[in-house]
């Protein structure tokens, strides 16, 4: 029996834009289905929002996302994540970690994902990996990119 884990991100109206951005970063096949495609009347406010979104790349990268309906409870205020003295200081409950075998492949992902992002720790060599960096992207998702740690190496 094989077990897989896929990160599922919840958005408030910008899941489609986030998934399209992630496809530009990681490549792959994108599937996006709106609530209206599943039978919600097109005139309702959430009809054009994403009920199912999935990105699958040939590299093995996979992520899912959707837009929480307007009736959902309010989201928690965003927290600030910082790095100081080798420690990550955060109130966030999760990060998305992406690992790769080589600095070249992770360098390229970092360059694309960092567009419009808040850099928490600049990508480069670290004490535990040939490449490590941390950022919060333009959609508020915090990512860790690293070479050879937690990746396929």
């Amino acid at each position: 029996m094989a077990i897989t884990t896929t990160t599922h991100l919840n958005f408030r109206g910008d899941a489609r834009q986030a998934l399209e951005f992630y496809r530009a970063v990681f490549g792959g096949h994108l599937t996006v289905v709106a609530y209206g495609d599943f039978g919600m009347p097109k005139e309702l406010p959430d009809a054009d929002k994403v009920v199912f979104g999935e990105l699958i790349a040939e590299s093995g990268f996979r992520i899912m996302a959707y837009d929480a309906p307007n009736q959902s409870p309010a989201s928690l205020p965003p927290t600030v994540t910082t790095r100081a003295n080798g420690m990550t200081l955060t109130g966030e409950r999760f990060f998305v970690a992406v690992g790769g075998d080589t600095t070249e492949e992770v360098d390229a992902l970092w360059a694309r994902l960092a567009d419009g992002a808040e850099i928490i720790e600049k990508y480069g060599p670290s004490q535990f990996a040939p490449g490590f960096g941390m950022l919060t992207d333009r959609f508020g998702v915090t990512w860790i990119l690293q070479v050879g740690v937690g990746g396929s190496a």
Side-chain angles (χ1 to χ4, degrees):
M1 177 171 94
I3 302 219
T4 61
T5 300
T6 302
T7 302
H8 188 281
L9 302 173
N10 305 321
F11 292 94
R12 297 285 179 157
D14 55 359
R16 183 181 309 271
Q17 294 89 343
L19 286 164
E20 289 170 353
F21 175 67
Y22 300 146
R23 179 176 55 185
V25 171
F26 297 100
H29 176 73
L30 180 60
T31 302
V32 177
V33 180
Y35 286 94
D37 298 329
F38 275 5
M40 177 184 277
K42 302 281 185 189
E43 65 275 1
L44 290 180
D46 289 332
D48 63 339
K49 291 185 180 175
V50 175
V51 67
F52 175 83
E54 180 178 55
L55 174 63
I56 301 173
E58 289 182 23
S59 65
F61 177 84
R62 182 177 179 170
I63 201 159
M64 296 177 71
Y66 94 119
D67 287 312
N70 285 333
Q71 304 90 319
S72 297
S75 58
L76 298 173
T79 63
V80 175
T81 299
T82 59
R83 295 262 308 158
N85 301 317
M87 296 183 296
T88 302
L89 308 172
T90 188
E92 293 188 46
R93 295 181 57 92
F94 73 93
F95 303 134
V96 179
V98 175
D101 291 333
T102 68
T103 54
E104 292 78 19
E105 68 185 335
V106 179
D107 288 354
L109 294 173
W110 177 270
R112 293 188 295 266
L113 196 57
D115 181 23
E118 178 184 329
I119 306 301
I120 298 167
E121 181 155 331
K122 186 177 173 184
Y123 178 78
S126 73
Q127 293 174 326
F128 55 86
F132 170 84
M134 205 171 176
L135 59 79
T136 300
D137 73 19
R138 61 176 82 167
F139 298 98
V141 177
T142 299
W143 297 79
I144 297 170
L145 273 72
Q146 51 199 6
V147 177
V149 179
S152 55

